[in-house]
Amino acid sequence: MEIENRKAAPIGVFDSGIGGLTVTREIMRQLPDENIVYFGDTARVPYGSKSKENIIRFSRQIVRFLKTCHVKAIVVACNTASALALDTLRQETDIPVMGVVEPGARAAVRETRNGKIGVIGTEATIRSEMYTQVIRRMLPDAEVIGNPCPLFVPLVEEGFAKHKIAEEVIDIYLSELRKTDIDTMILGCTHYPLLRSRIMEYFGDAVHIVNPAYETAMELKAMLEEKEMAHPVGGEASYEFYVSDAAEKFTKFANSILTYDVAATKLVNIEEY
Amino acid sequence: MEIENRKAAPIGVFDSGIGGLTVTREIMRQLPDENIVYFGDTARVPYGSKSKENIIRFSRQIVRFLKTCHVKAIVVACNTASALALDTLRQETDIPVMGVVEPGARAAVRETRNGKIGVIGTEATIRSEMYTQVIRRMLPDAEVIGNPCPLFVPLVEEGFAKHKIAEEVIDIYLSELRKTDIDTMILGCTHYPLLRSRIMEYFGDAVHIVNPAYETAMELKAMLEEKEMAHPVGGEASYEFYVSDAAEKFTKFANSILTYDVAATKLVNIEEY
């Protein structure tokens, strides 16, 4: 690809469903000139309960699809795929591929003063200890306390994020973690940034809340600048959304969290890629 | 199959996941002598967002699997598969196949005095109007009011059925329906019997709550007796549980709702059937 064409090419972002829109939202905010192609694998969500073999197969199919959109870089905006498929995708792909786990872990390691880091996420994410492993590579003495919050995803997806029920569920899941002396906590699920202000309020100033969606957009920005791949300033960025099922529901949710108006989401038969 | 062998053969029950256990529970209660083989398609749950074509394909695979267990009858304990695949399965299968929608609709038509029937279920069930169609075939003038309650399934699955949060969510979803003059309401999702007492309390005596799981077990009992296929009285019934993914989580949930102790759930690669 010519350098200038490459700069104008979109960023590919994918997730198992709608959660990756929080990462997309941060990319839109921090890199307002970049075009984005988003793919949500809504037909095969959730990835957390699938085998590593299947996650790699799904991720390869999505990368093949995104490459037909001529993306210049790919963000794996899904914790499970970041943990299980990133190494494989990086080896097989000739464009940069980023995950969300490393940026989140890196920020936590940078922010912690006492080395005690909390991680909240889905049951699958916490059980896999994916954040613990990456944090320990960066800070071997870190103490990582994982805490699953399984109802957070449906609460957010069904529109209860701002309801007082969300406060009660936060208290049920996180009261024990709040009693520990962690000084940093990672929102280890792409849906959780939509509960961020409530969670920050619940923990207060003593705990720094790390949002991997924000950190990932920051690292993407640095990477594009370093590789001289950033889109030139000016013009209006274009955003395209694709899913493997239930396009209408996706569009509705996307419009509830993005400032950009998502007019239509296109359906892709991902098994064909 | 010999008549006596046929009587001793198990009942096959299947669902997209764990919800069908409420139907299984009713069969265990009302037909304590029957052996049961349960299959939960936990790898491909939820069915509500999948196409009719796929639901039929999935159901055929499960029927093929259940027939390897020599079942004498099959209960489709899943609203979506009952609505979309039952006719096809009945045409293709040489043993009786029952769904949950017809028994639920039949009971509502029998109970209603004013012909105004409420149906609560997942978004997919309500949008499909599957209960409305079946009720209208039985009672053409019936007025059916559908009301989706999307957070009920995750609430039940994450163990909040007896928590006060369940009460609040019931009030959020059902306050409008309570203001109508329905006199009968169908629990149109296999998870909802686990919220039954709370929902009954919320609606009070004026509304008869229909539990399709109970009605299905009653119809199964009548059918087995009529066809002289009922298991002879005596001996201990055996129960077997199979899933396509996440067997451990299934076992945990099964033990939380069944009085029978589920020691182990076996994993089946359903795509091979």
Side-chain angles (χ1 to χ4, degrees), chain B residues 15 17 24 34 57 127-129 137 144 156 171-172 187 190 244 249 256 259 262 270:
Chain B
D15 177 41
T24 306
E34 296 294 341
R57 185 169 69 84
R127 202 180 326 113
S128 75
E129 302 196 323
R137 273 209 302 271
V144 183
V156 166
D171 185 49
I172 292 168
L187 304 178
T190 49
S244 48
K249 189 175 177 185
S256 78
T259 48
V262 179
I270 196 65

Side-chain angles (χ1 to χ4, degrees), chain A residues 42-43 45-46 49-51 123 150-151 154-155 158 160 163-165 168-169 172-173 245-246 249 252, chain B residues 42-43 45-46 49-51 123 150-151 154-155 158 160 163-165 168-169 172-173 245-246 249 252:
Chain A
T42 47
V45 70
S49 55
K50 311 286 195 299
S51 64
E123 248 166 34
L151 203 66
L155 273 177
E158 301 309 339
F160 286 86
H163 196 281
K164 81 174 164 47
I165 284 173
E168 294 174 46
V169 178
I172 292 168
Y173 282 140
D245 207 343
K249 188 173 180 187
K252 203 175 146 196
Chain B
T42 47
V45 70
S49 55
K50 311 287 195 299
S51 64
E123 249 166 35
L151 203 66
L155 272 178
E158 301 310 338
F160 286 87
H163 197 280
K164 81 173 166 45
I165 283 173
E168 295 175 45
V169 177
I172 292 168
Y173 282 139
D245 207 344
K249 189 175 177 185
K252 203 175 145 195

Side-chain angles (χ1 to χ4, degrees), chain A residues 18-26 28-29 38 156-157 161-162 190-191 193-194 241 250-260 262:
Chain A
I18 63 183
L21 287 171
T22 60
V23 180
T24 306
R25 185 169 69 162
E26 291 297 337
M28 289 173 170
R29 276 181 195 157
Y38 183 93
V156 166
E157 293 202 359
K162 296 195 170 82
T190 49
H191 284 71
L194 300 170
F241 298 89
F250 180 92
T251 304
K252 203 175 146 196
F253 187 82
N255 280 321
S256 77
I257 72 160
L258 299 178
T259 49
Y260 169 80
V262 179

Side-chain angles (χ1 to χ4, degrees), chain A residues 63-138:
Chain A
V63 166
R64 280 195 285 270
F65 164 71
L66 289 173
K67 292 198 81 170
T68 66
C69 304
H70 307 292
V71 298
K72 63 183 173 186
I74 290 174
V75 176
V76 184
C78 166
N79 284 280
T80 306
S82 293
L84 300 182
L86 198 60
D87 291 343
T88 308
L89 297 180
R90 276 178 175 157
Q91 280 162 29
E92 295 174 352
T93 315
D94 57 357
I95 57 173
V97 183
M98 291 181 52
V100 289
V101 176
E102 284 173 8
R106 206 167 357 254
V109 166
R110 189 180 66 227
E111 295 295 339
T112 186
R113 295 289 162 262
N114 67 6
K116 291 176 184 168
I117 299 169
V119 180
I120 59 174
T122 63
E123 248 166 34
T125 294
I126 299 306
R127 202 181 326 115
S128 75
E129 302 199 321
M130 56 175 88
Y131 276 97
T132 310
Q133 287 163 20
V134 177
I135 289 169
R136 291 256 175 83
R137 275 210 300 270
M138 300 169 179

